[in-house]
Amino acid sequence: QVQLVESGGGLVQAGGSLRLSCAASGRTLSNYAMGWFRQAPGKEREFVAVISWSGSSTNYADSVKGRFTISRDNRENTLYLQMNSLKPKDTAVYYCAAGAWGILPVDYGYWGRGTQVTVSS
């Protein structure tokens, strides 16, 4: 079992930055690819970014490419998402997930409860 807890969300003005963290307990994160997803009110959960178990490979949704950076520290069992140049359309609940490499929610077996990110215009 893997337990995931996100933190770092909040309210920020457009153009600002936030850094999300996802702390894991239970099994070591180094066994899993890790992803970030987000879900806005009334919309489906959507892929944001994924990083391989070693950290050597990453993939991003086109909507965040060049603005967001995913990283991980397997020694600290922590996943990060650095979000720069935030836009109001980035407003959502952000979830971290552990599982296989992929861009679909079904690719991941473990989920955190999410952290709210709100970007004001």
Side-chain angles (χ1 to χ4, degrees):
Q1 288 290 336
V2 175
Q3 292 79 43
L4 303 172
V5 179
E6 302 93 339
S7 62
L11 173 64
V12 63
Q13 288 187 333
S17 298
L18 283 175
R19 188 192 196 202
L20 304 184
S21 299
C22 174
S25 60
R27 291 185 178 180
T28 176
L29 281 186
S30 62
N31 294 328
Y32 303 96
M34 299 292 298
W36 286 100
F37 287 76
R38 66 187 182 187
Q39 189 166 16
K43 295 188 176 181
E44 293 187 352
R45 192 167 297 190
E46 67 171 359
F47 167 75
V48 174
V50 60
I51 187 167
S52 62
W53 68 270
S54 67
S56 60
S57 296
T58 58
N59 188 29
Y60 296 90
D62 288 343
S63 59
V64 307
K65 201 170 293 183
R67 300 187 297 122
F68 290 11
T69 302
I70 189 171
S71 61
R72 66 191 295 167
D73 185 338
N74 287 341
R75 295 170 300 175
E76 298 294 329
N77 252 12
T78 305
L79 174 73
Y80 302 99
L81 184 69
Q82 178 66 44
M83 305 186 295
N84 299 328
S85 301
L86 282 161
K87 304 175 182 180
K89 64 180 181 180
D90 295 318
T91 295
V93 177
Y94 283 71
Y95 299 89
C96 70
W101 176 273
I103 65 171
L104 299 176
V106 294
D107 295 322
Y108 298 84
Y110 301 101
W111 291 86
R113 292 191 173 186
T115 185
Q116 176 71 46
V117 172
T118 302
V119 184
S120 63
S121 57

